[in-house]
Amino acid sequence: MHYLVTIGYETEQMDREGNPRLQKLKYVIEAETVEEATIVASKYRSGDVRTSESISVAKMAIECVIDKKNTPEYYKG
């Protein structure tokens, strides 16, 4: 299964209350459960020096991923 994980990274800009604004980026993570996707996202975030937080994890309705690694026969000339 694939999950769409939104991670918010703090920026140097402040909102009206003086809190740092978040830059929200979306990542597709292959995992069996929401918990596993959350753990993978957390490990990914730990390698970044910016302050961040996982904002959401949503299941994606994807049948399969067609790319050179999974289905190379479609990319041959």
Side-chain angles (χ1 to χ4, degrees), residues 57-74:
V57 179
K59 191 181 209 181
M60 296 186 71
I62 294 177
E63 182 66 29
C64 80
V65 176
I66 299 172
D67 64 12
K68 290 181 182 180
K69 182 179 177 185
N70 294 324
T71 49
E73 64 274 14
Y74 298 126

Side-chain angles (χ1 to χ4, degrees), residues 7 9 27 29 38-48 50:
I7 297 177
Y9 293 96
Y27 298 90
I29 296 179
T38 302
I39 291 168
V40 171
S42 178
K43 287 179 182 178
Y44 178 79
R45 289 179 25 232
S46 71
D48 199 321
R50 298 175 289 178

Side-chain angles (χ1 to χ4, degrees), residues 16-48:
R16 292 179 184 163
E17 289 83 40
N19 299 317
R21 290 184 185 255
L22 293 179
Q23 177 187 18
K24 296 176 184 174
L25 301 175
K26 297 178 188 269
Y27 298 90
V28 176
I29 296 179
E30 187 174 358
E32 294 299 318
T33 63
V34 171
E35 182 180 13
E36 182 184 357
T38 302
I39 291 168
V40 171
S42 178
K43 287 179 182 178
Y44 178 79
R45 289 179 25 232
S46 71
D48 199 321

